[in-house]
Amino acid sequence: MRELASRPLSAAVSGMTTEVVDPVPGAGAPHLPRQTGLVQLLTPEGERVEHPDYAIDVTAEELRDLYRDLVLVRRWDVEATALQRQGELGIWASLLGQEAAQVGAGRALRPDDTAFPTYREHGVAWTRGVDPLHVISLFRGVDNGGWDPVATGFNLYTVVIGAQCLHATGYAMGLQRDGAESAALAFLGDGATSQGEVNEAMIWAASFSAPVVFFCQNNQYAISVPLERQSRVPLYQRAAGFGFPGVRVDGNDVLAVLAVTRAALAAAREGQGPTFIEAFTYRMGAHTTSDDPTRYRLASELEEWKLRDPIARVKAYLSRTGTADADFFADVEARADELAAHIRRGTTEMPDPPGTAMFDRVYAEQTPHLAAQQAQFEAYQAGFEGSHR
Amino acid sequence: MRELASRPLSAAVSGMTTEVVDPVPGAGAPHLPRQTGLVQLLTPEGERVEHPDYAIDVTAEELRDLYRDLVLVRRWDVEATALQRQGELGIWASLLGQEAAQVGAGRALRPDDTAFPTYREHGVAWTRGVDPLHVISLFRGVDNGGWDPVATGFNLYTVVIGAQCLHATGYAMGLQRDGAESAALAFLGDGATSQGEVNEAMIWAASFSAPVVFFCQNNQYAISVPLERQSRVPLYQRAAGFGFPGVRVDGNDVLAVLAVTRAALAAAREGQGPTFIEAFTYRMGAHTTSDDPTRYRLASELEEWKLRDPIARVKAYLSRTGTADADFFADVEARADELAAHIRRGTTEMPDPPGTAMFDRVYAEQTPHLAAQQAQFEAYQAGFEGSHR
Amino acid sequence: MTQLLTIGKALNLGLRRAMEDDAKVVLMGEDIGRLGGVFRITDGLQKDFGEDRVVDTPLAEAGILGTAVGLAMRGYRPVCEIQFDGFVFPAYNQIVTQVAKIHARSRGRLAMPIVIRIPFGGGIGAVEHHSESPEAYFAHTPGLKVVAVSNPVDAYWGIQQAIAHPDPVVFLEPKRRYWDKGEVDTDATPDPLLAARVVRAGDDVTVLAYGPMVKTALQAAEAAAEEGRSLEVVDLRAISPLDLDPVVESVRRTGRCVVVHEAPVTLGLGAEIAARITESCFHSLEAPVLRVGGYDTPYPPSKLEEEYLPDLDRVLDAVDRAMEF
Amino acid sequence: MTQLLTIGKALNLGLRRAMEDDAKVVLMGEDIGRLGGVFRITDGLQKDFGEDRVVDTPLAEAGILGTAVGLAMRGYRPVCEIQFDGFVFPAYNQIVTQVAKIHARSRGRLAMPIVIRIPFGGGIGAVEHHSESPEAYFAHTPGLKVVAVSNPVDAYWGIQQAIAHPDPVVFLEPKRRYWDKGEVDTDATPDPLLAARVVRAGDDVTVLAYGPMVKTALQAAEAAAEEGRSLEVVDLRAISPLDLDPVVESVRRTGRCVVVHEAPVTLGLGAEIAARITESCFHSLEAPVLRVGGYDTPYPPSKLEEEYLPDLDRVLDAVDRAMEF
Ligand SMILES: Cc1ncc(C[n+]2csc(CCOP(=O)(O)OP(=O)(O)O)c2C)c(N)n1
Ligand SMILES: Cc1ncc(C[n+]2csc(CCOP(=O)(O)OP(=O)(O)O)c2C)c(N)n1
Ligand SMILES: [Mg+2]
Ligand SMILES: [Mg+2]
């Protein structure tokens, strides 16, 4: 049995030499400056540090906003997990521990950019103004994607691992054709990097210099399978093999994620092509509510990562620097309570869809064949009218 | 229209700075030494040059054998092309220009190694002792793979681009489990590098440190599509992103190919994991006999590459150094004539398979369902007995 | 205006017209640009419409379909060429889990007007994977539409209709008939994309076919006529959803039905049609619906394809059996 | 020895026994090792047989099947787990163009004894892609064999037989029945892998089912019996090749047949069975073979799956229609 404890977690976060891998001169777009470590702007202890290549200027208000995002998103997640336990949701995929990666990436987007999430990007959904209940309706089994992907610039969740990376790339090719100065942001997990389609997406993005950024949340696991099974070298290095820059950022540092993603998106919009961002983070909860992580990882691992909590460090910074006061924190808590209540009430009151909904929207216009099936279905259902069904 | 002439071909072969890309220390197997150029041991002019990392000791006899291989393989190819023109073959995929890459790679194999070809590796087939008529029978439409892949260590041709790379990797995982000191050699083209499955094969090979070598003949084109569409950076660099070494070799230099492939196979057998070899070469003929390359490339390109002919340089070396004399060359020519005659006679005399052959071997044992279909087929055919059919 | 066109040329002109009509139409595929496609169906289009509208793609079918999805999300109408039938499978995941489902997943908010052009079927003496008939795999997949053309007129109009159609369409081209010629009136009003068509009237047996087998069925009808037997031939045209109304009407008259396709018989389109026709025409049928198709074997090496593929004689043999039942 | 086992546990024990019997058996899949699989079917096997025989793979289904082909070429017997039915499609190219064809391509020189385990079907309240019934896609593909188990006995023996079988077998596990229990005699002589089985005798209508729908069909027979109607239920077990001999025998007696599956009706197994049974039993049929299946829509969100999936009432409804025809 492989020794879990031997995994050099701390080294990975702080000491590892991580650099932007430059493609050969002239090829690809070496727009991200060379760096010499994991990009970090806020330490786990809440110290603001500088990075030569990723300066970021955030106002006090922006900082407080980010903090509020993080707290609200976590609260949403906690509430959803509770609702699942109570039988209100079929399943829930928790983002616990990945709030900074998601809020940082989401807040880096401009309104006209488009995000292509997996099934775990509730934090990004939040930044795009998607109603949490629309996300929850999917996990409740009410629909397969309840929000408007066009109006929100937040594509529907994609459950088939990696498929959305090609969609984002194709969408970015469309942006190019439109002369739009916007970018696509594709989310993926560490496990997803092994899918052929994800690698094809990177090949296409490089080939067409498409304005797409691949944002990989390396949360160390694909369900139970640790990163080492997917790659023996840091994931951000993958990009260089395809001819574009890769960068590794502390995924639990919302400022660093914001700065790095902003830079990558800006480069994409300016025609410099794709970037791969590896946000180094940790899935603090189970894979989903159906999962039991005690079967494959040690509790001590989680303890170590708790010290790098993405929210605690922002709070520490806000408090210590006086950027926020007790009133602010109380207000955030109050809002979180409100949000939780909204989610709880909205979920338990959410109506089931009518049976005929499944015949809708299979095609742009219902075919005679489906209309006939629906009619049969309705006639059949009508036979039970008044009975137990 | 993209400017064909601007393609820096000469730079690509001689001046390009090509290095083995080392994966990060400790990960993967940086067994191939660092180098500073395209690996070349025999210049286009037939000068023997040394390479610090790929010394090769070949006897005069070995050199003559390699030359003979190259000439015979080319003659086979020319004969098959002629047979296709005369209607004896449905199609033929010519290897013209790629003889050195194939003979060099094939001769690097040990008897207990296994090759996984595409559909163009006739030169490798030759080195594995496969009867050319068995290869030709496929292109004639007599069968889909006429030789014994186990006895020859030469797997059947695989037409679906890239699929064989995963087979080779899985086979190599089997070698590992058997504790065999042998390796698998997967062939692929430059176009194939874009297939998801090929990238998955590299991911698996890295993850399991499988004894497989990926031998990519970069012949500059995937049918009509030039390399630039598949990758903006040299292909050998792909490997580093997956955590194993990549190396670029002059694919028209049989000695260099032999040396580099031998080293990579040795490393694989010793447990050092995979290597990616990019053999830089050129498809001097059409993609297949169905193709018309004048639609997508300039004649001048071919003229340039003729100066780097893989056979001419060996002949020049043999002659100039006195390693072979006129008798030897005459003998090789005579053998080539014999081979051509064997191929021509064998092809024109090749019997058609019986119609019932298609019901054979679908399964290990014929199912009752197929037996019934075959019986129907036979009864139906019998109805035509004596008639025009 | 009426022109004598091959199916291949009709497709080429239809694509050209669709691109002229709608600037959002983008062609994607391997070798479709400078080369004009291995069958030259896109010949000359990149030259006239540029590299952004006729895209020579990397060699990756999942990539073609997956980026097509993204382009469709951005308002484009991608027309993807799969070089040969046997190479559609790397894209199968994108087609079945994404292209087919996104309209429903988004409750109609995202349209997927993607055309997947596939030269399909055998009979050209090719090597493995170049002669497959994968239509049933798509017709079993809700969310897709599947059509097959059999002649230059349907090729010319059908490709334009498929491109203008709001849903994803798998557009099957009978590759061995690419060089068959016919008169095409480019000003006519075309038949609807998804409607079957009676192409020869008859009374004794209804013969159903699509794509390359329509010609075979018509040849069989010709031969049968010489023996005094009258076959009604229906070109199904729409494979999913099937348009069985004219078929039901016909079978109620003839009482006998034979379905012809190249794909393996087991779970080929003939299975669905037999099940549906039997249900609709139970009391009219004098014989079970009989199927003529490829055998349940991998497509054989080309020296055997003549034996594998349904031909005039095998159709007539089934007609005989239907008559004798 | 007889044990009370769930289907899941029976599979686990069957896999264990197969691994003990043959050192060449290698299990491959996502999360099957330390976690024991998301359904725990491989629970404890990596601990006992090691990481070389129970392989936690990278997240790539084409990789799983493609490397399985290579392992098979080297003499291994790979057993691949696809985590959920909806995730088999990235591997579709390897399955359809390689796994299914290599035996024929090599004229029998290369065996492909690969088992592809797929937990299939709906009814577990899951999100998209976790409730698919892809069996027809495989049954239409020559070179593959396809089986579905419905109970712990067949699970225990079937998995061992599939692994020992010389051809590739798509092995479908009724995921929503994983927790159903039954007595398994682990010393018994099992029925053949590819044979249908009459699981309840009856005279009025023959009801065919496989996998999760066998239980539903039996429930329907139970309910029908209360109303004085006698249903014969056949568990098809083998989906490709179909074993229709007992079905033909039964339908010749009953004159009526209903096929039940979760997959969409169009081109589902019911289509093939209807076509074949109609041909074999044309003169005995009192009604067309009726099909009860999923609607021709994408699998709906789970709140609607009860309406989508065939249940006892829908089977009885079809039985009524068959009787009234
Ligand atoms: C093609 C495919 N195969 C398998 C699955 C089942 N599955 C769901 S999530 C998951 C692990 C994903 O890991 P990763 O990409 O690291 O993302 P994370 O869940 O950690 O955010 C797997 C195997 C799937 N959804 N799609
Ligand atoms: C999956 C798949 N897609 C498309 C094809 C059609 N095709 C055959 S060869 C070829 C180009 C291959 O290029 P490359 O990999 O560079 O190999 P080369 O032919 O140059 O040796 C294509 C597109 C195929 N055989 N398989
Ligand atoms: Mg992960
Ligand atoms: Mg090439």
Side-chain angles (χ1 to χ4, degrees):
Chain A
M1 195 155 142
R2 201 174 47 89
E3 202 52 65
L4 267 181
S6 71
R7 196 118 161 272
L9 280 169
S10 42
V13 171
S14 50
M16 193 169 266
T17 56
T18 47
E19 308 181 315
V20 169
V21 176
D22 271 323
V24 291
H31 51 78
L32 287 169
R34 187 165 280 279
Q35 49 170 127
T36 48
L38 182 78
V39 180
Q40 197 178 64
L41 298 177
L42 197 61
T43 69
E45 296 73 30
E47 301 287 346
R48 187 71 173 75
V49 290
E50 292 303 321
H51 190 282
D53 307 310
Y54 295 100
I56 193 166
D57 231 0
V58 277
T59 63
E61 196 183 335
E62 282 169 327
L63 262 174
R64 287 191 299 265
D65 286 349
L66 287 170
Y67 176 78
R68 192 184 303 106
D69 283 343
L70 294 170
V71 171
L72 293 185
V73 158
R74 179 169 291 186
R75 186 59 159 268
W76 166 7
D77 187 75
V78 168
E79 194 60 32
T81 300
L83 283 163
Q84 194 282 335
R85 296 256 175 277
Q86 292 154 27
E88 294 289 340
L89 303 185
I91 197 172
W92 179 250
S94 167
L95 60 55
L96 202 71
Q98 301 177 219
E99 296 87 351
Q102 297 189 9
V103 166
R107 287 295 176 208
L109 288 163
R110 287 203 204 143
D112 54 333
D113 295 331
T114 303
F116 291 79
T118 71
Y119 39 80
R120 202 189 289 285
E121 272 71 64
H122 324 313
V124 185
W126 175 257
T127 67
R128 303 303 281 173
V130 173
D131 185 335
L133 289 172
H134 285 161
V135 174
I136 278 189
S137 72
L138 186 155
F139 292 93
R140 190 173 162 88
V142 169
D143 57 41
N144 288 327
W147 58 95
D148 186 331
V150 181
T152 57
F154 185 67
N155 195 45
L156 299 181
Y157 277 5
T158 298
V159 173
V160 176
I161 295 291
Q164 74 283 356
C165 292
L166 279 168
H167 305 169
T169 304
Y171 188 90
M173 290 169 68
L175 291 172
Q176 271 179 326
R177 280 164 179 67
D178 295 341
E181 272 179 31
S182 332
L185 184 59
F187 288 87
L188 67 152
D190 47 300
T193 60
S194 292
Q195 279 288 358
E197 289 189 3
V198 170
N199 292 275
E200 288 187 16
M202 294 197 252
I203 289 165
W204 285 62
S207 184
F208 295 100
S209 247
V212 56
V213 173
F214 299 99
F215 190 91
C216 176
Q217 287 168 81
N218 174 4
N219 65 4
Q220 314 299 323
Y221 288 92
I223 309 187
S224 71
V225 181
L227 175 67
E228 293 86 338
R229 175 50 79 220
Q230 322 288 346
S231 183
R232 308 272 297 274
V233 294
L235 288 175
Y236 76 91
Q237 297 187 357
R238 179 79 53 92
F242 294 120
F244 60 92
V247 58
R248 181 183 262 188
V249 61
D250 180 347
N252 286 12
D253 173 354
V254 70
L255 287 186
V257 172
L258 180 63
V260 167
T261 313
R262 261 191 197 156
L265 287 169
R269 291 188 208 98
E270 285 160 19
Q272 294 186 58
T275 302
F276 183 95
I277 298 173
E278 176 188 357
F280 202 82
T281 181
Y282 190 74
R283 194 194 76 208
M284 295 178 78
H287 170 69
T288 65
T289 45
S290 305
D291 179 42
D292 173 10
T294 64
R295 292 180 71 103
Y296 54 83
R297 64 188 196 189
L298 297 176
S300 59
E301 197 180 273
L302 177 58
E303 291 312 311
E304 259 192 89
W305 276 93
K306 277 189 183 158
L307 302 176
R308 304 187 198 105
D309 186 276
I311 304 189
R313 68 178 76 179
V314 185
K315 185 167 195 177
Y317 178 79
L318 291 175
S319 306
R320 192 166 26 73
T321 56
T323 316
D325 58 14
D327 282 356
F328 169 78
F329 291 116
D331 177 63
V332 170
E333 278 313 302
R335 291 203 196 199
D337 290 344
E338 261 172 56
L339 178 66
H342 166 71
I343 288 171
R344 169 160 297 270
R345 199 175 44 246
T347 302
T348 52
E349 290 173 2
M350 198 177 285
D352 285 358
T356 51
M358 66 187 157
F359 298 98
D360 276 359
R361 308 295 183 184
V362 177
Y363 299 103
E365 202 176 300
Q366 198 178 47
T367 61
H369 176 71
L370 266 190
Q373 282 196 351
Q374 177 167 348
Q376 264 173 30
F377 170 80
E378 287 174 15
Y380 170 78
Q381 293 289 99
F384 292 98
E385 216 81 319
S387 88
H388 62 104
R389 273 180 94 97
Chain B
M1 195 155 140
R2 198 174 49 87
E3 201 52 64
L4 267 180
S6 71
R7 196 117 161 274
L9 280 170
S10 42
V13 170
S14 50
M16 192 168 265
T17 57
T18 47
E19 308 181 316
V20 170
V21 177
D22 270 323
V24 293
H31 52 77
L32 287 170
R34 185 165 283 277
Q35 49 171 129
T36 50
L38 182 77
V39 180
Q40 197 179 66
L41 298 177
L42 197 60
T43 69
E45 296 73 30
E47 300 289 343
R48 185 75 172 76
V49 290
E50 292 304 319
H51 190 282
D53 307 312
Y54 295 102
I56 192 166
D57 232 0
V58 277
T59 64
E61 195 184 336
E62 283 170 325
L63 263 174
R64 287 190 300 262
D65 286 349
L66 288 171
Y67 176 78
R68 192 183 303 107
D69 283 344
L70 294 170
V71 171
L72 294 185
V73 157
R74 178 169 291 184
R75 185 60 159 268
W76 166 6
D77 188 74
V78 168
E79 194 59 34
T81 300
L83 283 163
Q84 196 282 335
R85 296 253 176 281
Q86 292 153 26
E88 294 289 339
L89 303 185
I91 196 171
W92 180 249
S94 167
L95 59 55
L96 202 71
Q98 300 178 220
E99 296 87 351
Q102 297 189 8
V103 166
R107 288 293 176 209
L109 289 163
R110 287 203 204 143
D112 54 332
D113 295 331
T114 303
F116 292 78
T118 71
Y119 39 80
R120 202 189 290 286
E121 272 71 64
H122 323 313
V124 185
W126 174 259
T127 67
R128 303 304 280 173
V130 173
D131 185 335
L133 289 172
H134 284 161
V135 175
I136 279 189
S137 72
L138 186 156
F139 291 93
R140 189 173 162 88
V142 169
D143 58 41
N144 288 326
W147 59 94
D148 186 331
V150 181
T152 57
F154 186 68
N155 194 47
L156 298 181
Y157 277 4
T158 297
V159 174
V160 176
I161 296 290
Q164 75 284 355
C165 292
L166 279 167
H167 305 168
T169 304
Y171 189 89
M173 291 169 68
L175 291 173
Q176 270 178 327
R177 280 163 179 70
D178 296 341
E181 273 178 30
S182 334
L185 184 59
F187 288 87
L188 66 152
D190 47 299
T193 60
S194 292
Q195 278 288 0
E197 290 190 3
V198 170
N199 291 275
E200 289 187 15
M202 294 197 252
I203 290 166
W204 284 63
S207 184
F208 295 100
S209 249
V212 56
V213 173
F214 298 99
F215 190 92
C216 176
Q217 288 166 80
N218 173 3
N219 64 5
Q220 314 300 325
Y221 288 92
I223 308 187
S224 71
V225 181
L227 175 67
E228 293 86 337
R229 176 49 81 221
Q230 321 290 344
S231 182
R232 308 275 295 274
V233 293
L235 289 175
Y236 76 92
Q237 297 186 358
R238 179 79 54 90
F242 294 120
F244 59 93
V247 59
R248 180 183 262 189
V249 61
D250 180 347
N252 286 12
D253 173 353
V254 70
L255 286 187
V257 172
L258 181 64
V260 167
T261 314
R262 260 192 197 154
L265 288 169
R269 290 188 209 100
E270 284 160 20
Q272 293 185 58
T275 301
F276 183 93
I277 299 173
E278 176 189 358
F280 201 82
T281 181
Y282 191 74
R283 196 195 74 208
M284 295 178 79
H287 171 68
T288 65
T289 44
S290 307
D291 180 41
D292 173 10
T294 64
R295 293 180 70 103
Y296 54 82
R297 63 187 196 188
L298 297 177
S300 59
E301 198 179 273
L302 177 59
E303 291 311 311
E304 261 193 87
W305 276 91
K306 277 191 184 157
L307 302 176
R308 305 189 196 101
D309 186 276
I311 304 188
R313 69 178 78 181
V314 185
K315 184 166 193 178
Y317 178 77
L318 289 176
S319 306
R320 192 165 27 72
T321 57
T323 315
D325 57 14
D327 281 355
F328 169 77
F329 291 117
D331 177 63
V332 170
E333 278 313 302
R335 290 202 197 198
D337 290 344
E338 259 171 58
L339 178 66
H342 168 70
I343 288 171
R344 169 159 296 270
R345 199 176 41 246
T347 303
T348 52
E349 289 172 2
M350 200 177 284
D352 285 358
T356 52
M358 66 186 157
F359 298 99
D360 275 359
R361 309 295 185 182
V362 177
Y363 299 103
E365 203 176 298
Q366 198 178 46
T367 62
H369 176 71
L370 266 189
Q373 282 197 351
Q374 177 168 347
Q376 265 172 31
F377 170 81
E378 287 175 14
Y380 170 77
Q381 293 289 99
F384 291 98
E385 217 80 321
S387 88
H388 62 103
R389 272 179 95 98
Chain C
M1 201 188 78
T2 292
Q3 297 179 58
L4 185 69
L5 298 175
T6 61
I7 290 184
K9 185 65 188 170
L11 289 166
N12 178 270
L13 288 183
L15 286 167
R16 177 178 289 277
R17 193 154 155 187
M19 295 187 77
E20 283 163 359
D21 289 353
D22 185 347
K24 292 291 188 185
V25 174
V26 174
L27 313 194
M28 311 171 70
E30 295 156 7
D31 304 290
I32 67 166
R34 186 170 305 191
L35 182 63
V38 295
F39 290 109
R40 309 290 185 266
I41 305 302
T42 54
D43 195 23
L45 298 178
Q46 188 182 66
K47 196 163 147 282
D48 293 346
F49 294 96
E51 292 188 11
D52 275 358
R53 295 195 61 200
V54 182
V55 185
D56 268 323
T57 66
L59 208 176
E61 289 78 8
I64 296 173
L65 265 296
T67 55
V69 167
L71 279 160
M73 288 170 167
R74 183 71 199 168
Y76 285 84
R77 303 186 91 85
V79 182
C80 304
E81 174 175 304
I82 299 294
Q83 199 163 82
F84 283 90
D85 34 55
F87 307 136
V88 71
F89 302 112
Y92 204 66
N93 180 52
Q94 283 288 339
I95 297 173
V96 167
T97 72
Q98 306 302 316
V99 174
K101 286 180 190 265
I102 283 175
H103 189 267
R105 182 184 302 155
S106 69
R107 295 206 202 148
R109 287 179 182 119
L110 295 172
M112 281 290 121
I114 295 176
V115 176
I116 308 174
R117 290 184 41 235
I118 310 181
F120 85 123
I124 62 161
V127 296
E128 223 188 337
H129 312 291
H130 290 71
S131 309
E132 308 280 324
S133 295
E135 61 271 19
Y137 295 129
F138 300 112
H140 183 52
T141 307
L144 301 178
K145 288 178 176 167
V146 185
V147 303
V149 293
S150 68
N151 61 71
V153 174
D154 286 349
Y156 177 76
W157 292 112
I159 190 64
Q160 295 180 61
Q161 293 167 314
I163 292 170
H165 194 81
D167 295 313
V169 178
V170 177
F171 190 87
L172 299 165
E173 305 173 0
K175 74 165 88 78
R176 67 158 134 163
R177 312 280 190 221
Y178 270 148
W179 299 272
D180 283 9
K181 283 190 180 147
E183 290 288 341
V184 180
D185 178 355
T186 54
D187 300 321
T189 305
D191 284 347
L193 179 67
L194 294 162
R197 183 196 294 140
V198 177
V199 288
R200 181 183 173 116
D203 302 313
D204 295 332
V205 179
T206 307
V207 179
L208 313 179
Y210 53 86
M213 287 290 101
V214 173
K215 184 172 180 175
T216 306
L218 286 170
Q219 289 167 341
E222 200 71 39
E226 288 171 23
E227 298 169 20
R229 210 165 252 174
S230 156
L231 308 190
E232 177 143 311
V233 180
V234 182
D235 181 352
L236 290 169
R237 300 173 80 249
I239 289 177
S240 180
L242 283 161
D243 173 25
L244 292 186
D245 291 348
V247 178
V248 168
E249 190 280 318
S250 174
V251 175
R252 290 220 171 111
R253 254 187 309 110
T254 61
R256 293 178 166 85
C257 183
V258 169
V259 197
V260 192
H261 53 63
E262 294 189 11
V265 165
T266 293
L267 278 164
L269 259 289
E272 179 62 25
I273 292 166
R276 296 256 292 272
I277 292 300
T278 307
E279 202 172 330
S280 307
C281 308
F282 191 66
H283 295 297
S284 323
L285 281 175
E286 311 278 347
V289 177
L290 296 183
R291 298 178 285 166
V292 182
Y295 297 104
D296 290 319
T297 72
Y299 196 89
S302 62
K303 287 282 183 194
L304 296 179
E305 67 182 342
E306 296 288 311
E307 329 275 304
Y308 179 84
L309 292 168
D311 60 7
L312 175 160
D313 289 321
R314 281 179 61 201
V315 176
L316 291 178
D317 177 60
V319 165
D320 287 348
R321 284 187 287 126
M323 293 300 291
E324 286 157 19
F325 214 89
Chain D
M1 201 188 77
T2 292
Q3 297 179 57
L4 186 69
L5 299 176
T6 63
I7 290 183
K9 185 67 189 169
L11 288 167
N12 179 269
L13 288 183
L15 286 168
R16 177 178 289 277
R17 195 156 152 186
M19 295 187 77
E20 283 163 357
D21 288 353
D22 186 347
K24 292 292 187 183
V25 174
V26 173
L27 314 193
M28 310 171 70
E30 294 155 9
D31 304 290
I32 68 166
R34 186 170 303 190
L35 182 63
V38 295
F39 290 108
R40 309 289 185 267
I41 304 302
T42 53
D43 195 23
L45 297 178
Q46 188 181 68
K47 194 163 147 284
D48 294 347
F49 293 96
E51 292 189 9
D52 275 357
R53 297 197 57 200
V54 182
V55 185
D56 268 325
T57 66
L59 207 175
E61 288 78 8
I64 296 173
L65 264 296
T67 55
V69 167
L71 279 159
M73 287 171 169
R74 183 70 198 168
Y76 285 84
R77 304 186 91 85
V79 182
C80 304
E81 175 175 302
I82 299 294
Q83 198 163 81
F84 283 90
D85 32 55
F87 307 137
V88 70
F89 302 112
Y92 204 66
N93 180 50
Q94 284 288 338
I95 297 173
V96 167
T97 71
Q98 305 301 317
V99 174
K101 287 180 190 262
I102 283 175
H103 189 267
R105 182 184 301 155
S106 70
R107 295 206 202 147
R109 287 180 182 117
L110 296 171
M112 281 290 120
I114 295 175
V115 176
I116 308 174
R117 291 185 41 237
I118 310 181
F120 86 123
I124 63 161
V127 296
E128 221 188 339
H129 311 290
H130 290 70
S131 309
E132 309 280 324
S133 295
E135 62 272 19
Y137 295 128
F138 300 113
H140 182 52
T141 306
L144 301 177
K145 290 179 175 166
V146 185
V147 304
V149 294
S150 68
N151 61 70
V153 174
D154 287 347
Y156 177 76
W157 291 113
I159 191 64
Q160 295 179 62
Q161 293 167 314
I163 292 170
H165 194 80
D167 296 313
V169 178
V170 177
F171 190 87
L172 298 165
E173 304 173 1
K175 73 167 87 79
R176 68 159 134 162
R177 312 282 189 220
Y178 270 148
W179 299 272
D180 283 9
K181 281 189 181 147
E183 291 288 342
V184 179
D185 178 353
T186 54
D187 300 321
T189 305
D191 283 349
L193 179 67
L194 295 162
R197 184 196 292 138
V198 177
V199 288
R200 182 182 171 115
D203 302 314
D204 294 332
V205 179
T206 307
V207 179
L208 313 179
Y210 53 85
M213 287 292 101
V214 173
K215 184 172 180 174
T216 306
L218 286 170
Q219 289 167 341
E222 200 71 40
E226 287 172 25
E227 298 170 17
R229 210 164 254 174
S230 158
L231 308 189
E232 176 142 311
V233 179
V234 182
D235 181 350
L236 289 170
R237 299 174 79 249
I239 288 177
S240 180
L242 285 161
D243 174 26
L244 292 186
D245 291 348
V247 179
V248 168
E249 190 281 319
S250 174
V251 175
R252 291 222 170 110
R253 253 189 308 110
T254 61
R256 293 180 166 85
C257 182
V258 168
V259 196
V260 191
H261 53 65
E262 295 189 9
V265 165
T266 293
L267 278 165
L269 260 289
E272 178 63 24
I273 293 167
R276 297 255 293 271
I277 292 299
T278 308
E279 201 172 332
S280 307
C281 307
F282 191 65
H283 296 298
S284 324
L285 282 174
E286 311 277 346
V289 176
L290 296 182
R291 297 176 287 166
V292 182
Y295 297 103
D296 290 318
T297 73
Y299 196 90
S302 63
K303 287 281 183 196
L304 295 178
E305 67 182 342
E306 295 289 311
E307 328 274 305
Y308 179 84
L309 292 169
D311 61 5
L312 174 159
D313 288 320
R314 280 180 59 204
V315 176
L316 291 177
D317 178 61
V319 165
D320 287 348
R321 285 187 286 126
M323 293 299 292
E324 287 157 19
F325 213 90

